[in-house]
Amino acid sequence: MTQNELKQQIRQLAEERDALLIAHNYQRDEIQEIADITGDSLALSMAAAKTDKTVIVFCGVHFMAESAAILAPGKTILLPRPDAGCPMADMVTAEGLHELKQQHPDATVVTYVNSSAAVKAESDVCCTSSNAISVARAQSAAKLLLVPDRNLGRYIAAHVPDKECIIWEGYCPTHDRLKTEEIVRIKGEHPDALFMAHPECRPDILELADHICSTSGMYEFARNNPAKKFIVGTENGILWRLKKENPDKEFILPSRSLICPNMKLTSLEDVLECLQKMEPRITVSEPIRAKAQGSLDRMLAAPRD
Ligand code: 13P
Ligand code: SF4
């Protein structure tokens, strides 16, 4: 089957199944092309919660489909590649977090959405890269446990100097491997370019950034800024829409290793097969789901940064 035939079959079957196709900004170009909605973690969770469709096909990684299952309990959530995980989310377990909470009973747990449902259920409130600072500032506790991303944690901590922050030592292998030398070199080659960085990058990288934001924040910044050249400090899947929306602008990746292998697993064939078989389904047990929903709802009530 050609790529066009695959795309047509997927769209047709999605209609028949009453399915909404959603894709994270890091998915392969062809997956973003067929999606009803593309977006960052926050936008996609909200879309899953709001849609009238009965089925959601989540082209992304496991924790994202779980977030959809938490926020849209009556719906069927399909994850075309159940093996698409997130190494950072796997760096914290509910048991490990429970132990840390016992050492800091006075702390509020702020957990990045890149985490399992069980970890969200152990948390007080979630955050994403587009609302992390607002969520942290909104907490009345003097002490915060920031879980699981140490880079996002340090970024948040720098913005809430009045609070004591205990930071979990997890990280995103894709963002964490970006090196200062790579940014310095690329900035030297393109002195007229602005550097946008995702807060999952290391603090020394963030220090060099002109703008720090979520993936969707990057679309907004590139659209609204008169600059013609941007260095992009995040996963390479973001380039497809950046280029499409800004044909007169140039986007430069500072490193060839800005690829998340998990985000690239999902193919058109996987999406078609999952719509045909209506599986693999992602479910969350009700006690965990209800608690995790509390953490996500408290996040959704917070303003964006
Ligand atoms: P956002 O899309 O929320 O910016 O998150 C990036 C990411 O790494 C998701 O796994
Ligand atoms: Fe996880 Fe990093 Fe991949 Fe996002 S880019 S899914 S944080 S490994």
Side-chain angles (χ1 to χ4, degrees):
M1 220 185 294
T2 65
Q3 215 185 60
N4 275 347
E5 286 167 343
L6 269 169
K7 285 180 182 166
Q8 265 176 10
Q9 285 212 13
I10 290 169
R11 288 304 332 166
Q12 195 182 326
L13 202 51
E15 284 300 312
E16 283 169 34
R17 302 282 202 219
D18 192 33
L20 184 75
L21 296 187
I22 56 186
H24 188 267
N25 294 327
Y26 296 160
Q27 289 287 293
R28 296 185 196 184
D29 297 357
E30 63 271 24
I31 299 291
Q32 295 194 47
E33 255 166 357
I34 51 145
D36 293 302
I37 302 172
T38 57
D40 65 8
S41 312
L42 178 61
L44 296 181
S45 302
M46 286 167 64
K50 266 198 227 144
T51 182
D52 293 333
K53 302 267 183 189
T54 52
V55 176
I56 294 161
V57 179
F58 213 120
C59 301
V61 294
H62 191 270
F63 77 81
M64 295 181 174
E66 261 194 349
S67 292
I70 293 164
L71 291 171
K75 298 190 164 88
T76 300
I77 313 296
L78 302 173
L79 179 66
R81 285 295 294 250
D83 52 339
C86 168
M88 167 158 58
D90 295 340
M91 289 178 192
V92 56
T93 61
E95 294 71 29
L97 178 55
H98 187 74
E99 255 175 53
L100 187 68
K101 278 168 65 176
Q102 282 179 327
Q103 291 165 34
H104 304 278
D106 51 336
T108 289
V109 182
V110 180
T111 296
Y112 193 24
V113 285
N114 296 34
S115 53
S116 69
V119 166
K120 289 182 177 79
E122 271 293 329
S123 308
D124 295 302
V125 62
C126 286
C127 70
T128 76
S129 48
S130 59
N131 61 15
I133 294 168
S134 315
V135 168
R137 282 188 180 140
Q139 306 311 310
S140 55
K143 196 196 265 193
L144 302 179
L145 300 187
L146 303 174
V147 182
D149 185 5
R150 66 183 178 204
N151 293 330
L152 182 70
R154 286 174 196 148
Y155 171 66
I156 296 172
H159 286 83
V160 288
D162 54 320
K163 296 188 190 291
E164 183 189 350
C165 294
I166 315 287
I167 298 171
W168 195 273
E169 274 298 317
Y171 59 91
C172 162
T174 302
H175 288 86
D176 197 72
R177 69 168 84 100
L178 191 55
K179 294 186 195 73
T180 316
E181 307 85 83
E182 291 172 313
I183 303 301
V184 171
R185 180 184 51 78
I186 209 98
K187 278 185 152 220
E189 288 170 12
H190 304 276
D192 50 337
L194 293 180
F195 174 40
M196 326 187 264
H198 195 279
E200 287 176 17
C201 296
R202 286 169 170 263
D204 49 330
I205 301 285
L206 297 184
E207 263 176 43
L208 299 171
D210 296 295
H211 190 57
I212 301 168
C213 56
S214 74
T215 52
S216 288
M218 290 188 187
Y219 297 123
E220 215 176 294
F221 186 67
R223 190 169 44 242
N224 298 332
N225 198 290
K228 291 283 179 210
K229 247 188 203 185
F230 298 84
I231 299 165
V232 184
T234 195
E235 212 271 352
N236 76 356
I238 197 165
L239 293 181
W240 177 74
R241 210 170 110 200
L242 276 175
K243 287 180 181 167
K244 195 173 141 207
E245 291 180 353
N246 305 278
D248 57 327
K249 300 190 179 185
E250 190 182 344
F251 298 96
I252 305 147
L253 271 194
S255 159
R256 285 198 190 154
S257 56
L258 279 168
I259 296 173
C260 171
N262 287 283
M263 280 288 184
K264 297 297 184 260
L265 280 177
T266 310
S267 67
L268 289 172
E269 285 84 355
D270 295 326
V271 178
L272 182 60
E273 193 182 329
C274 125
L275 275 165
Q276 283 164 339
K277 296 183 175 162
M278 290 296 280
E279 60 181 41
R281 294 183 189 209
I282 300 300
T283 55
V284 179
S285 75
E286 185 50 29
I288 300 239
R289 192 206 66 76
K291 279 196 202 164
Q293 182 170 16
S295 301
L296 283 170
D297 282 348
R298 287 186 280 278
M299 168 188 86
L300 292 173
R304 279 185 68 154
D305 290 344

